[in-house]
Amino acid sequence: MRDLTTLSRGFAPSANVAQLKESATIAVSTRAKALRAAGRPIIDLGAGEPDFDTPEFIRRAAQRAIDAGATRYTATEGILPLREAIAAEANGQYRGAGPITAGDVVVSVGSKQSLFNACFVLFGPGDEVLVPTPSWTSYYEMVALARAEAVAVRGDPARELKVTAELLAAAATERTRGVMLNSPCNPTGAVYDAAELGAILELAAERDWWVISDEIYRRITYGTPAPSALQLAADRERLVVVNGVAKAFAMTGWRVGWAIAPRAVAQAMTAFQSHTTSNTAAVSQHAALAALTQSEEAERAVAAMVARFHARRDAALRTLASVPSLGYVRPDGAFYLYLDVSAVPSDDGDAGSAFARHLLEAHDVAVVPGSAFLTPGWVRLSYAAPDDDVARGVERVAAAYAELAGGRK
Ligand code: GLU
């Protein structure tokens, strides 16, 4: 992926961003869109973006909100009814002492901003932050932008590439300050069960680490529900739970995410945000409020979308079964398939990038190379795309793999 030295013709980037790489997930979908606009019939399995329209009851609520004057600044941390709704939902999960209140909630411009703000206020120079790997590309960069060091902790191949408390403990040093968790996981779709997540939370509590738990895919599961860190944590003293409406409600463009944090952390995140973006769009907050409070319609809409993801996942797995040498993590949540393409020949040892390039050039299919998630022998395929695109795209992926890697494992 390009870093700023190749992007920044004519200026020397500041030390803040000198090491920064642009987001590979965003770059793949931008390229797929550009090729489509130029007339190529690209099947985009790169973007992790639901292809559904935002449910009608949410769109209508937003229209009403605009007409009622939701066109001005709001409190930096978000409108009170939305924060109250988020706190109420969280209280339904949290088993520890003391209620979660609206003052513990900060609404931001997507969960991406919540994650960045949390990293920025919690970590700094000299700190190490454990990042289970593979992980979503932006965690590594967010930690680095906070001038801390992201320590990639390889997941266990025998456990769907998930990390264990033991693996985290082995990677920790006296400088470890925190750990980034994400279940269901982007890019693998793996789900941590209560025992796995509970053991990690226990270790973090013992060591006084901050836990940032990104639960943006929590409502998208295909078997048992994914536990929230809120259900398992003994207390919230060092816990920041991040979520949003983008994935479950097909609301990526509305840009509403939030963090539930100890009060002092929430206040620091709000102060930081007051100098950068201020509040996220007022109308978007009212749309998110409808998503969280019009429960019956919301449940129906989410269930219908999850059923579609589920059917696509099953169809994709049936197709992959025709190429038994192609390994993958069986996804129990989110909408990604992570494929082991390390047997594909490459000049530079980056089999995932070689395969992704070949798929795009020879088969018009866009996927994200595993190097974005610090695991170069893999590619990520998103099935948050129209049914036909997923079906045809996965067939081409399977055929291309058979052609390039044959029976090699
Ligand atoms: N999170 C999604 C993905 O991994 C959307 C793009 C991004 O923000 O990275 O594809």
Side-chain angles (χ1 to χ4, degrees):
M1 202 28 59
R2 295 176 302 175
D3 62 28
L4 279 205
T5 44
T6 59
L7 289 174
S8 56
R9 289 170 215 97
F11 90 100
S14 76
N16 295 333
V17 294
Q19 305 302 319
L20 184 71
K21 292 187 185 64
E22 68 176 328
S23 162
T25 45
I26 301 277
V28 168
S29 45
T30 305
R31 173 118 180 93
K33 282 193 186 94
L35 289 173
R36 258 193 201 160
R40 286 260 307 267
I42 299 295
I43 296 178
D44 184 5
L45 305 184
E49 173 167 32
D51 53 307
F52 307 116
D53 290 334
T54 298
E56 193 178 345
F57 77 94
I58 299 173
R59 288 184 275 133
R60 295 287 165 266
Q63 286 164 346
R64 285 195 301 274
I66 293 181
D67 291 340
T71 57
R72 297 172 181 269
Y73 292 137
T74 71
T76 294
E77 64 273 33
I79 56 174
L80 185 60
L82 176 58
R83 288 182 294 116
E84 282 173 345
I86 293 163
E89 191 179 276
N91 277 316
Q93 298 161 359
Y94 184 51
R95 303 275 166 271
I100 296 165
T101 69
D104 304 328
V105 177
V106 187
V107 176
S108 297
V109 186
S111 63
K112 195 176 241 179
Q113 190 188 26
S114 304
L115 289 160
F116 175 78
N117 289 359
C119 288
F120 207 73
V121 307
L122 293 176
F123 309 126
D127 293 345
E128 290 178 356
V129 181
L130 304 177
V131 185
T133 297
S135 259
W136 180 48
T137 191
S138 293
Y139 299 150
Y140 307 100
E141 298 292 339
M142 287 172 179
V143 170
L145 284 168
R147 304 185 190 211
E149 193 183 328
V151 176
V153 183
R154 280 308 183 102
D156 182 353
R159 290 171 176 263
E160 293 105 29
L161 300 181
K162 290 182 278 192
V163 295
T164 57
E166 292 73 29
L167 287 169
L168 292 171
T173 71
E174 72 282 358
R175 295 201 293 145
T176 304
R177 292 287 170 275
V179 56
M180 308 291 291
L181 299 181
N182 175 221
S183 173
C185 174
N186 176 5
T188 60
V191 175
Y192 284 72
D193 67 24
E196 292 165 333
L197 188 55
I200 293 172
L201 293 171
E202 217 171 283
L203 172 73
E206 259 165 48
R207 306 279 176 104
D208 264 352
W209 296 340
W210 285 101
V211 172
I212 299 180
S213 182
D214 175 0
E215 303 188 354
I216 190 73
Y217 297 101
R218 208 173 76 81
R219 297 184 68 145
I220 305 172
T221 55
Y222 311 118
T224 36
S228 164
L230 285 170
Q231 291 166 302
L232 301 169
D235 61 62
R236 297 194 300 118
E237 266 171 46
R238 288 180 174 268
L239 175 63
V240 180
V241 173
V242 171
N243 209 329
V245 288
K247 309 294 187 182
F249 295 96
M251 291 179 68
T252 47
W254 298 81
R255 310 312 298 137
V256 182
W258 55 82
I260 301 166
R263 182 68 53 96
V265 175
Q267 284 170 344
M269 289 174 69
T270 301
F272 176 60
Q273 188 167 304
S274 76
H275 291 294
T276 53
T277 58
S278 300
N279 59 279
T280 194
V283 61
S284 295
Q285 294 185 57
H286 285 275
L289 179 61
L292 296 193
T293 53
Q294 293 184 221
S295 311
E296 236 170 74
E297 285 141 303
E299 289 313 317
R300 221 177 303 128
V302 172
M305 290 189 273
V306 171
R308 295 279 292 279
F309 291 138
H310 196 162
R312 291 170 187 172
R313 182 203 69 161
D314 289 351
L317 295 185
R318 278 195 297 276
T319 303
L320 292 182
S322 66
V323 192
S325 60
L326 175 52
Y328 58 85
V329 176
R330 190 185 162 80
D332 291 323
F335 35 59
Y336 303 112
L337 257 171
Y338 209 44
L339 307 179
D340 178 357
V341 296
S342 49
V344 169
S346 65
D347 296 336
D348 55 4
D350 186 349
S353 295
F355 189 58
R357 262 194 314 273
H358 174 78
L359 278 175
L360 192 59
E361 277 155 28
H363 300 280
D364 288 334
V365 178
V367 299
V368 181
S371 53
F373 316 104
L374 300 200
T375 40
W378 297 71
V379 294
R380 188 193 79 177
L381 183 159
S382 161
Y383 48 94
D387 299 6
D388 261 13
D389 284 9
V390 175
R392 285 185 302 132
V394 177
E395 270 166 28
R396 292 185 201 178
V397 168
Y401 182 80
E403 165 201 332
L404 293 183
R408 274 182 289 178
K409 218 164 172 21

